[in-house]
Amino acid sequence: MLLNVHSYYSLRYGTLSLEQIVEDMMALGYENAVLTDINNSSAVLDFIRLTRDKGLNGIAGMEYRNGNELLYIGIARNLAGFKQLNELMTGANREKKALPAVAPELPDAFVIYPYGKRAVPLLKENEFIGIRPGELSKIRMEPVSNYSKYVCLSAVSFHKEDYRLHLQLRAIDHNILISQLQKEQAGCRDEAMIPKEQLLQAYSDFPRLTDNTRQLIRSCSFNFDFDEVKNKKTFTGNRSDDKRLLHKYAMDGFYRRYGKDDKTAFDRVQKELDIIDNLNFSAYFLITDDICRYARTRNYHYVGRGSGANSIIAYCLGITDVDPIALNLYFERFLNPKRKIPPDFDVDFSWNNRDDIYDYIMHRYQAGHVALMGATSTFRSRSSIRELGKVYGLPKAEIDRLIHEPEHTANKNEVTDMILSVYQQMADFPNQRTIHASGVLISERPMTSYCALDYPPKGLPTAQFDMYVAEQIGFEKFDILSQRGIGHIKDCKELIRQNLGEIVSTDNPRRFFSDEKMAAQLRSANTIGCFYIESPAMLQLLTKLRCDNYPTLVAASSIIRPGVAASGMMKAYIERHLDPDKAVYPHRVFKEQLQDTYGVMVYQEDVMKIGHHYGGLDLADADVLRRMMSGKTRNTEQLDAIRDKFFDHCLRAGYPDTTSKEIWRQMESFAGYSFNKAHSASFAVESYQSLFLKTYYPREFMVAVLNNYGGFYQRKVYVNEARKAGGVIGLPCVNRSVLGASISGKDIYLGFDSILNLEGDLSARIAEQWLRGGDYTSLENFALRTGAGLEQLIILIRSGAFRHMGTGKKELLWEAHLLLSSYKPQRQASLFENTAKKPVLPKLETSLLEDLYDEIELLGFPVSGSMFDLLKSDYRGTASGKDLTGLEGLTVRVVGDFVCDKQVRTKTGAVMKFGTFLDVNGDFIDTIHFPAQLKQFPLQGNGVYLIQGKVVKDFGCAAIEVEKCARMPLKPDPRSI
């Protein structure tokens, strides 16, 4: 009887979760309901699954609106009808057009118009008019013949008590004050589910309407197969050819990677090929291989990781550079015969190549069968308060106070009380549909068989459902990720070719693992700019582990994750790595299965191993447990069932209860954070490729990092690294620089992209005109050729971009004003430049101090000197960064330029921080700010600090436990005196 149900996936309209709708149906006596979310079908298949599990009949539908105007409601008779409904919405999204006021032909769907929208004689056979309970009085005097085209239409959007929340959401959606909300912008107060008997009673005078409604529902049959794999079934067109092609490619790769005589690898290849064929996953491998082959033809560097990297077939195909034999990767983590869906392949491309990879996939595979994975962003507590504050007209300062100081006495009033009372209801409400960070779906059937498609700004079709729904209905995504680390590897190799004339390859990274110079670089944690191993926490971990080899780096890539650290396993691993005799095994299973990691769970596979060998779970349940702990499923009931199996087995086996609980606690601490070993190994491979370039070509490497817009740190850190590597750093120059940083010999010129507030078009034009017409000979010549206006010219002058002309900044500023104050230059060549005599200016004094302040303002950091040159005091402390390892236990004073800090909470909830600074020599200093000291001596962002504290060492890594610190005063800008 419910033909018009909205969930909270009717964004900023409905307030009901799918689970609430199903619970209400059961409690109020409904067997059938049509989910008709507004302009989307993102939740339909999830709703069908939930209702089917409860023995109810969920039906697919969609409500179509242009803005606030309800046009009609579509209800699918069957799977074909659902596809037709999705295609209607998809077409409007693709063409960026309004929906048609009259529904097109939808032969396998019903269409219901609101009363008054469409005359009865104009209705097609499958079209009806919905009569709401409040509209029954309007049809009493109509001809009875009309009743054959009327159905009961009782909208459901919220619980009765949540009507105010609905109004608040509508005001948020329209970005207006709630007092400005108009009647047509919100739903009616009666859009709440009432008991079925009460609804039937409302229509009791019109039995024809209830009969029509029942008949419509009986005509709908939605036989969706949730178990069938929805991915494209074949690559070549048939399974047997897929099998043969994959075998050929795999064996070609086997000979290339292992030679002809490696029986262990050969047996593994055959075993995997058999399982892949038996599970019908050949197409998934071949499609991934096809994408990687295209990347290689374009000379795109990429890194294959994820659970698929556990596969020797992936290694042989060249999808990944991780050797599963060498690392003893857990095969069942990759595939086991019970697995219904393919394993994950995560392939990372450079951030500036990924769009081309997307374009290839969209055109390589059948149009309409490829889409980006959707995602749904949700309201969070802070965003809810902010949005609610806006619709009630609160000033920004009051909203900020309400968020950051909820207990403040000024917050105690009627409006803020109301906001605080309802914002938690909105927590985790869907807010808007977005795009998954990397997922691509390639389907056997058209994507509109499963949902409507959105077309966000880039114009690529995007599924309206998220990864959780995709998994539940039998899709496995292809993860096409992007990162800047790959970009700097590719760009660095090109810079080396241009600057040094050398052709450098980072292929076959196994050769790097035995490089002594790289080992020393790694051991000394000289890894700034290197993928994944440059953060302060990672630098400290490398130092503590004395890491100088690939296996240790693989482990470090995983134990750095918060889940491992939170469980105490990071510290345990470091202790045992430095002294293996300290390894403690809570049970013989740990010694048998985790000997390589000294009995410490480091990888997701370790959870599987312990769950299987200690907890008695079969490999399928162990894999489910691993997936749940990595956040890839939302089924808490299944997790509870597995937990019960685990502890039941432990009890039967006679294991001590305290031991079993501690082991489960350690596994739980992995939730959402730990890496699988193949993932860590893939990251470590890329880290080694970066490290190779940093070790042997440090200047070109740092230029490439700058041009890929860095990594963990501010640009000043990478400039500092380039200078330490012998680079001579130059400010942007109109006759030397291009858009990005460039290198010639040891000279490194920053690019125009480093100048804040310089227009992007002008930045590109400067380099373009210079390459076309040679050096700029004067300020006027520059202005004529580039069309730069006065404001932009001033920015360039103050940033030092005209210093080659031999004229001081102040004189150039006078000239710029005289030149451009009366006219705007045209971007065209002039036969004769202005020959008017320039005024003779008195000698204008300048200073390094003025230049440094200009650079801080315009580039964000000083280049011609350092922050230390700005200090009023010449005092530089009693120790430098390199001294600290020999000063354990002593109180020192250091002077450091702030780089970054990390806020954490203690076990009691108090705030503390870890700080990172650069000393006058450009070396790092790490600091620890405990809650009491932090409160008294807070870190206040950028600046040079005088820090006093005791030197402490943790596994050989030195830091300062701060007793007090403060920013040091700077010399004033002479121009401001």
Side-chain angles (χ1 to χ4, degrees):
M1 293 295 293
L2 300 175
L3 303 184
N4 189 201
V5 178
H6 302 123
S7 74
Y8 57 20
Y9 290 97
S10 289
L11 302 178
R12 301 174 183 173
Y13 191 101
T15 70
L16 301 171
S17 70
L18 299 180
E19 291 77 10
Q20 285 175 315
I21 293 170
V22 172
E23 288 172 10
D24 290 349
M25 286 174 64
M26 296 178 68
L28 299 175
Y30 293 95
E31 300 86 13
N32 311 286
V34 187
L35 187 69
T36 57
D37 279 319
I38 299 170
N39 289 354
N40 82 91
S41 56
S42 58
V44 163
L45 295 177
D46 214 7
F47 177 69
I48 300 294
R49 181 185 59 82
L50 287 171
T51 52
R52 190 179 294 181
D53 288 347
K54 298 295 184 182
L56 303 173
N57 180 31
I59 300 171
M62 195 185 308
E63 180 174 301
Y64 298 89
R65 292 189 177 214
N66 283 331
N68 296 310
E69 183 188 7
L70 169 58
L71 302 174
Y72 35 81
I73 296 161
I75 299 174
R77 293 178 191 257
N78 47 38
L79 295 175
F82 184 49
K83 180 172 178 286
Q84 291 162 13
L85 298 180
N86 289 329
E87 287 177 341
L88 172 57
M89 194 67 240
T90 298
N93 290 338
R94 182 176 55 245
E95 303 301 325
K96 311 294 185 192
K97 291 181 179 178
L99 286 158
V102 177
E105 291 290 337
L106 299 168
D108 293 292
F110 294 108
V111 175
I112 301 175
Y113 289 94
Y115 183 70
K117 205 68 163 170
R118 191 86 170 142
V120 170
L122 299 177
L123 296 177
K124 304 182 186 80
E125 182 182 351
N126 64 328
E127 295 182 337
F128 296 87
I129 291 173
I131 307 299
R132 301 182 185 277
E135 296 168 337
L136 290 170
S137 59
K138 297 180 180 179
I139 68 169
R140 287 187 181 275
M141 304 304 294
E142 289 187 10
V144 175
S145 59
N146 283 3
Y147 292 2
S148 65
K149 281 294 187 177
Y150 290 163
V151 291
C152 307
L153 192 66
S154 179
V156 175
S157 305
F158 40 76
H159 287 146
K160 191 173 183 179
E161 62 273 18
D162 291 337
Y163 183 61
R164 172 183 273 187
L165 178 58
H166 165 75
L167 295 179
Q168 291 162 339
L169 289 169
R170 299 306 298 139
I172 289 171
D173 188 53
H174 286 280
N175 195 28
I176 58 176
L177 297 175
I178 197 165
S179 58
Q180 297 173 322
L181 197 65
Q182 303 298 307
K183 181 179 178 181
E184 65 274 9
Q185 294 174 318
C188 300
R189 189 181 291 272
D190 64 358
E191 291 184 21
M193 196 182 300
I194 60 176
K196 181 180 177 182
E197 292 305 317
Q198 185 178 335
L199 183 63
L200 290 173
Q201 181 60 37
Y203 288 93
S204 59
D205 290 347
F206 300 90
R208 184 66 187 275
L209 272 65
T210 54
D211 289 344
N212 292 343
T213 306
R214 289 191 179 99
Q215 181 58 43
L216 185 153
I217 288 172
R218 282 195 295 268
S219 301
C220 297
S221 177
F222 200 80
N223 299 316
F224 188 84
D225 185 349
F226 284 91
D227 295 325
E228 179 195 29
V229 174
K230 307 303 186 300
N231 287 59
K232 182 173 173 58
K233 295 187 184 299
T234 67
F235 177 74
T236 62
N238 65 77
R239 281 191 59 183
S240 60
D241 284 348
D242 280 2
K243 178 183 178 180
R244 284 192 288 270
L245 184 62
L246 182 61
H247 182 274
K248 179 186 184 308
Y249 286 168
M251 292 310 298
D252 289 346
F254 166 75
Y255 295 132
R256 186 177 64 254
R257 296 284 202 183
Y258 295 102
K260 296 180 179 180
D261 302 323
D262 193 324
K263 188 175 186 310
T264 301
F266 179 82
D267 290 345
R268 172 91 173 243
V269 167
Q270 299 306 313
K271 180 182 179 181
E272 288 195 22
L273 283 172
D274 286 343
I275 292 178
I276 291 166
D277 178 57
N278 289 337
L279 295 175
N280 194 24
F281 292 157
S282 295
Y284 189 84
F285 277 81
L286 288 168
I287 291 171
T288 307
D289 173 67
D290 177 62
I291 294 167
C292 293
R293 283 173 185 264
Y294 171 75
R296 293 196 294 271
T297 66
R298 303 283 289 176
N299 198 28
Y300 293 162
H301 188 80
Y302 65 87
V303 173
R305 54 183 178 86
S307 63
N310 286 57
S311 165
I312 197 169
I313 302 301
Y315 182 57
C316 290
L317 293 176
I319 295 170
T320 175
D321 280 322
V322 175
D323 181 355
I325 301 292
L327 287 173
N328 191 28
L329 294 180
Y330 201 37
F331 179 66
E332 285 77 11
R333 171 64 176 88
F334 153 63
L335 264 185
N336 63 70
K338 294 184 179 180
R339 185 161 180 159
K340 303 293 187 191
I341 55 176
D344 258 345
F345 277 127
D346 299 341
V347 187
D348 287 336
F349 295 91
S350 172
W351 62 279
N352 52 11
N353 295 150
R354 184 168 70 161
D355 283 351
D356 185 55
I357 295 293
Y358 278 156
D359 187 65
Y360 172 75
I361 295 170
M362 294 290 170
H363 289 91
R364 171 69 174 82
Y365 298 95
Q366 191 173 350
H369 292 243
V370 185
L372 302 184
M373 173 70 79
T376 304
S377 67
T378 58
F379 286 106
R380 297 297 181 190
S381 56
R382 287 190 176 188
S383 65
S384 301
I385 291 175
R386 193 167 297 283
E387 294 287 1
L388 288 166
K390 285 162 59 179
V391 302
Y392 283 98
L394 294 184
K396 183 179 182 299
E398 290 187 30
I399 297 174
D400 290 342
R401 185 178 63 225
L402 192 58
I403 291 171
H404 300 295
E405 302 175 81
E407 301 303 319
H408 197 288
T409 54
N411 291 332
K412 306 302 179 185
N413 59 67
E414 184 179 349
V415 172
T416 55
D417 286 348
M418 184 276 303
I419 290 173
L420 292 173
S421 71
V422 301
Y423 87 93
Q424 287 184 329
Q425 291 178 265
M426 291 171 57
D428 295 324
F429 264 39
N431 183 18
Q432 56 185 345
R433 291 190 304 280
T434 61
I435 305 174
H436 184 273
S438 60
V440 177
L441 300 174
I442 304 177
S443 173
E444 178 69 16
R445 298 189 184 93
M447 280 302 304
T448 49
S449 301
Y450 310 106
C451 67
L453 301 177
D454 290 326
Y455 284 78
K458 284 192 175 181
L460 297 180
T462 304
Q464 290 188 332
F465 53 67
D466 62 21
M467 60 180 284
Y468 300 105
V469 173
E471 181 177 332
Q472 286 160 357
I473 68 174
F475 266 116
E476 189 67 16
K477 64 187 185 301
F478 296 82
D479 279 320
I480 308 298
L481 300 106
S482 72
Q483 51 154 289
R484 297 186 183 276
I486 289 177
H488 73 233
I489 291 172
K490 177 187 175 185
D491 291 355
C492 180
K493 291 188 287 187
E494 178 60 20
L495 287 168
I496 294 166
R497 186 191 67 79
Q498 292 174 1
N499 193 41
L500 303 176
E502 297 182 31
I503 304 299
V504 172
S505 171
T506 53
D507 296 341
N508 187 23
R510 293 173 66 174
R511 59 198 166 99
F512 302 147
F513 303 161
S514 56
D515 187 304
E516 287 299 323
K517 189 172 181 182
M518 291 174 65
Q521 189 100 337
L522 191 58
R523 189 165 48 247
S524 63
N526 187 4
T527 56
I528 298 297
C530 295
F531 173 74
Y532 200 68
I533 54 173
E534 65 163 339
S535 70
M538 196 54 151
L539 299 181
Q540 292 167 23
L541 179 58
L542 295 176
T543 302
K544 292 173 183 178
L545 288 171
R546 301 167 201 165
C547 177
D548 61 2
N549 59 74
Y550 177 65
T552 305
L553 186 60
V554 172
S557 298
S558 189
I559 65 174
I560 194 68
R561 304 286 289 176
V564 187
S567 68
M569 287 183 276
M570 176 193 279
K571 183 178 180 182
Y573 180 86
I574 297 170
E575 288 175 343
R576 298 174 193 188
H577 177 73
L578 298 177
D579 185 359
D581 291 338
K582 289 185 177 179
V584 177
Y585 302 98
H587 188 271
R588 60 176 174 76
V589 165
F590 281 73
K591 189 165 188 177
E592 294 166 359
Q593 299 297 324
L594 306 181
Q595 193 165 23
D596 289 348
T597 55
Y598 319 106
V600 176
M601 281 186 285
V602 169
Y603 309 109
Q604 289 176 1
E605 290 90 339
D606 297 339
V607 174
M608 287 182 66
K609 291 177 182 179
I610 299 308
H612 176 58
H613 294 284
Y614 180 86
L617 303 175
D618 64 28
L619 287 172
D621 279 344
D623 192 42
V624 171
L625 177 64
R626 187 270 313 165
R627 288 175 66 78
M628 288 177 175
M629 289 184 168
S630 62
K632 292 191 175 182
T633 182
R634 299 178 290 188
N635 194 331
T636 56
E637 291 180 6
Q638 196 172 8
L639 179 59
D640 290 340
I642 291 174
R643 186 184 190 279
D644 291 341
K645 284 183 184 179
F646 178 91
F647 282 104
D648 286 347
H649 172 82
C650 293
L651 184 63
R652 290 194 306 272
Y655 300 156
D657 188 51
T658 53
T659 302
S660 298
K661 286 181 178 177
E662 171 58 18
I663 290 170
W664 183 267
R665 182 196 70 79
Q666 289 183 14
M667 291 195 295
E668 275 190 314
S669 73
F670 273 58
Y673 293 110
S674 63
F675 279 166
N676 66 64
K677 190 174 183 180
H679 199 112
S680 297
S682 301
F683 270 26
V685 165
E686 188 177 344
S687 298
Y688 259 96
Q689 290 170 320
S690 291
L691 184 63
F692 165 71
L693 297 171
K694 163 117 180 172
T695 302
Y696 289 98
Y697 306 96
R699 293 184 289 273
E700 288 81 5
F701 179 75
M702 295 319 305
V703 171
V705 171
L706 285 168
N707 286 342
N708 282 273
Y709 305 102
F712 187 88
Y713 299 101
Q714 305 172 47
R715 289 174 71 84
K716 71 176 183 181
V717 174
Y718 301 113
V719 170
N720 176 66
E721 285 292 303
R723 184 178 280 120
K724 287 175 67 177
V728 180
I729 311 300
L731 289 161
C733 171
V734 295
N735 283 343
R736 294 290 181 273
S737 295
V738 289
L739 181 62
S742 57
I743 182 169
S744 176
K746 293 184 178 181
D747 294 328
I748 296 172
Y749 282 91
L750 298 180
F752 297 114
D753 60 356
S754 66
I755 303 177
L756 307 176
N757 299 320
L758 188 67
E759 294 171 356
D761 288 347
L762 177 60
S763 297
R765 213 158 50 236
I766 295 170
E768 175 190 319
Q769 287 292 323
W770 176 64
L771 290 169
R772 181 183 299 173
D775 283 358
Y776 298 103
T777 56
S778 67
L779 205 61
E780 184 174 7
N781 175 261
F782 176 84
L784 285 168
R785 289 167 63 185
T786 64
L790 179 60
E791 181 182 343
Q792 295 291 294
L793 206 55
I794 290 170
I795 290 172
L796 286 165
I797 292 168
R798 291 182 59 210
S799 67
F802 293 97
R803 61 193 181 280
H804 69 286
M805 291 183 179
T807 306
K809 285 185 185 179
K810 292 179 179 177
E811 288 82 358
L812 287 171
L813 289 171
W814 271 97
E815 184 179 342
H817 279 87
L818 289 169
L819 181 67
L820 297 180
S821 59
S822 59
Y823 74 97
K824 184 175 181 180
Q826 302 298 313
R827 283 184 50 214
Q828 57 186 18
S830 175
L831 290 175
F832 302 98
E833 293 186 14
N834 188 350
T835 57
K837 190 174 181 181
K838 297 176 183 177
V840 178
L841 298 173
K843 183 174 177 58
L844 301 174
E845 294 184 1
T846 188
S847 69
L848 174 64
L849 200 57
E850 291 178 2
D851 289 341
L852 294 178
Y853 272 109
D854 278 342
E855 290 163 20
I856 291 170
E857 178 186 342
L858 297 170
L859 281 80
F861 58 94
V863 176
S864 303
S866 75
M867 289 296 296
F868 298 94
D869 296 322
L870 293 171
L871 294 176
K872 282 185 175 181
S873 170
D874 293 331
Y875 184 69
R876 296 296 180 264
T878 61
S880 66
K882 287 186 175 177
D883 298 331
L884 296 182
T885 54
L887 299 174
E888 183 179 10
L890 299 180
T891 297
V892 298
R893 286 185 163 195
V894 297
V895 176
D897 182 13
F898 177 85
V899 172
C900 61
D901 60 26
K902 179 182 179 181
Q903 179 176 303
V904 297
R905 289 194 178 271
T906 66
K907 291 181 179 178
T908 63
V911 174
M912 64 174 292
K913 286 187 176 182
F914 296 97
T916 303
F917 297 81
L918 287 172
D919 69 11
V920 70
N921 303 311
D923 296 320
F924 278 107
I925 298 170
D926 294 314
T927 58
I928 305 168
H929 304 253
F930 288 112
Q933 288 73 26
L934 182 64
K935 190 171 184 179
Q936 189 175 1
F937 302 101
L939 286 175
Q940 298 175 315
N942 287 334
V944 180
Y945 288 73
L946 176 59
I947 301 164
Q948 177 178 304
K950 185 174 71 172
V951 178
V952 295
K953 287 173 70 175
D954 186 25
F955 298 109
C957 185
I960 298 174
E961 281 187 3
V962 175
E963 297 169 358
K964 50 186 173 181
C965 69
R967 275 197 294 215
M968 297 179 71
L970 304 179
K971 299 171 186 174
D973 185 337
R975 294 164 295 189
S976 64
I977 298 174

